[in-house]
Amino acid sequence: METTLRGLTTLSFYAADLEAATQWYTGFLKIAPYFKVPGYVEFRIGDYQHELGIIDSKYAPDGATGNPGGAVVYWHVDNLQETLDKLLSLGATLYQPINDRSGGKGAFVTASVVDPFGNILGIMTNIHYLDILTSNKPGLH
């Protein structure tokens, strides 16, 4: 099936203190970045090895603000409350509390935080993600 957007490749965050951000995400993710060059580090994470890049904020585009932006990318997690608690204990601040967006069915439950570097990190449990993960459809693995 052909579509314009084929899949998430790299999510980029900015941090004024790249070393501190690298250490923070290494601690949270429990893995070291697989790629590192001056001004940029990249982690491969999750079932599909999506890329989370952290860029020194001196390379941010003109007009970027120091405040969290309006877009939230949500990462599927197995235990939403546990993951949220861990992020908060590491110094993230609550951006949006746990919210069941499926009308109480638990199919799509989200929360988000702002990391210590000003980036919004969304987490969620998502039944569609799990369905695709366990599907045998060609091209989905």
Side-chain angles (χ1 to χ4, degrees):
M1 179 165 106
E2 190 174 319
T3 183
T4 302
L5 299 177
R6 303 240 354 248
L8 179 67
T9 60
T10 304
L11 172 64
S12 296
F13 283 169
Y14 292 97
D17 187 339
L18 183 59
E19 184 57 36
T22 301
Q23 290 175 8
W24 194 85
Y25 274 95
T26 297
F28 170 61
L29 298 170
K30 296 183 180 162
I31 59 168
Y34 83 98
F35 182 75
K36 233 177 163 177
V37 294
Y40 182 75
V41 300
E42 191 170 274
F43 297 87
R44 284 196 181 254
I45 55 179
D47 299 304
Y48 296 101
Q49 295 293 287
H50 292 302
E51 297 170 359
L52 172 60
I54 303 174
I55 304 168
D56 188 314
S57 60
K58 69 183 175 187
Y59 300 111
D62 290 340
T65 67
N67 298 319
V72 180
V73 173
Y74 291 98
W75 296 87
H76 178 83
V77 297
D78 292 325
N79 186 314
L80 188 63
Q81 185 67 61
E82 184 179 294
T83 305
L84 180 59
D85 291 345
K86 181 177 182 180
L87 286 163
L88 296 173
S89 75
L90 291 170
T93 56
L94 188 64
Y95 186 72
Q96 199 168 40
I98 292 176
N99 185 352
D100 187 335
R101 298 184 183 279
S102 58
K105 297 177 184 171
F108 311 103
V109 184
T110 67
S112 57
V113 299
V114 177
D115 72 14
F117 315 97
N119 301 291
I120 301 171
L121 178 63
I123 55 175
M124 77 181 300
T125 55
N126 181 329
I127 194 162
H128 288 167
Y129 178 85
L130 294 174
D131 288 346
I132 290 170
L133 186 63
T134 58
S135 140
N136 289 323
K137 293 179 183 175
L140 293 179
H141 297 286

